[in-house]
């Protein structure tokens, strides 16, 4: 007695292929969802987020355009160090190359850029290495700290004026802590 099992075996193969196709669809949907979340996060943050590979930007969010003043199309056509102030360009290029090649380098530092309108801006960079398309790349975030740097400079100048004033007055000037211990006395003493 010969039974024809072709139908059943064929059905099992179709069932396995169907399961694999469903799993593939689930993975594609999860990937689309993950990419959508990344885009929303990238576009919502005030921090510039940029990816670069082979010395060129390959991704940037809207904040990168806002901080630099350049459009994404313009930024895609320059090296990642192209907007860096000349005083910092060699440093940024060296560290960026190391990051891009997955070599050890400083991951956070401050430097100046020159925006499209010629304005010098201070930025705080945080960077890391990643893999894109099976090749190393760099990912950086930039925060515009120009206002903070300006306030620090204003404070430094104010402190210098205060020190000059207190050290040249003939009157005795002193400060104390909360326990009334003297913490500063000017030279007039």
């Amino acid at each position: 007695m010969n039974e024809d099992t072709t139908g059943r075996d064929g059905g099992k193969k179709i069932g396995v292929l169907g399961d694999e196709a469903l799993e593939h669809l689930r993975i594609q949907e999860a990937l689309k969802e993950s990419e959508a979340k990344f885009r929303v996060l990238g576009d919502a943050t005030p921090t510039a987020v940029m990816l670069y590979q082979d010395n060129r930007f390959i991704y940037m969010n809207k904040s990168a355009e806002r901080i630099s003043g350049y459009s994404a199309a313009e930024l895609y056509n320059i090296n990642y160090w192209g907007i860096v102030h000349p005083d910092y360009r060699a440093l940024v290029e060296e560290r960026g190359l190391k990051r891009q090649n997955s070599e050890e380098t400083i991951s956070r530092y401050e430097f100046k850029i020159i925006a499209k309108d010629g304005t010098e801006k201070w930025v705080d960079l945080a960077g890391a290495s990643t893999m894109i398309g099976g090749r190393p790349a760099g990912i950086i975030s930039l925060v515009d700290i120009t206002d903070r740097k300006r306030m620090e400079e204003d404070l430094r100048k104010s402190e210098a004026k205060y020190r000059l004033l207190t050290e040249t007055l003939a009157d005795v000037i002193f400060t104390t802590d909360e326990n009334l211990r003297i913490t500063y006395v000017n030279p007039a003493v």
Side-chain angles (χ1 to χ4, degrees):
M1 186 164 158
N2 283 341
E3 278 188 55
D4 183 5
T5 58
T6 307
R8 285 190 300 190
D9 289 338
K12 287 182 185 178
K13 287 180 186 175
I14 290 172
V16 169
L17 289 176
D19 289 345
E20 287 177 9
L22 286 173
E23 182 61 19
H24 183 71
L25 285 173
R26 279 192 286 268
I27 291 170
Q28 282 183 324
E29 286 301 314
L31 180 60
K32 283 180 186 176
E33 186 176 312
S34 177
E35 288 173 347
K37 287 177 187 175
F38 178 78
R39 259 188 238 101
V40 168
L41 177 63
D43 287 341
T45 183
T47 301
V49 178
M50 306 164 98
L51 292 166
Y52 63 96
Q53 193 172 52
D54 301 324
N55 302 337
R56 300 288 183 150
F57 292 115
I58 59 173
Y59 167 82
M60 70 206 56
N61 67 352
K62 298 287 184 198
S63 291
E65 294 176 275
R66 182 184 48 75
I67 290 170
S68 71
Y70 290 93
S71 69
E74 291 169 316
L75 288 169
Y76 287 134
N77 288 308
I78 60 174
N79 290 324
Y80 65 81
W81 61 82
I83 64 170
V84 176
H85 188 282
D87 293 349
Y88 300 90
R89 194 168 288 150
L91 175 78
V92 171
E93 180 181 359
E94 175 192 345
R95 290 178 179 171
L97 286 171
K98 286 182 177 180
R99 185 176 304 107
Q100 177 177 262
N101 294 320
S102 299
E103 297 174 25
E104 189 74 24
T105 190
I106 295 173
S107 62
R108 188 162 184 192
Y109 57 100
E110 298 172 355
F111 60 92
K112 279 197 263 184
I113 64 169
I114 300 177
K116 185 175 182 177
D117 66 3
T119 306
E120 293 182 5
K121 293 183 176 184
W122 279 96
V123 294
D124 181 351
L125 177 144
S129 297
T130 189
M131 296 294 284
I132 297 175
R135 297 180 20 244
I139 182 168
I140 59 172
S141 64
L142 296 174
V143 176
D144 184 346
I145 58 169
T146 305
D147 290 340
R148 187 193 88 200
K149 286 289 202 177
R150 209 173 282 131
M151 286 188 289
E152 288 172 355
E153 180 62 20
D154 290 348
L155 180 60
R156 188 191 62 72
K157 286 177 181 176
S158 176
E159 287 174 346
K161 286 179 188 175
Y162 173 76
R163 181 156 306 278
L164 178 65
L165 180 65
T166 60
E167 291 184 1
T168 57
L169 282 175
D171 296 334
V172 174
I173 298 174
F174 65 94
T175 59
T176 62
D177 64 14
E178 62 275 355
N179 295 317
L180 300 179
R181 286 185 285 232
I182 295 175
T183 57
Y184 171 78
V185 177
N186 73 334
V189 168

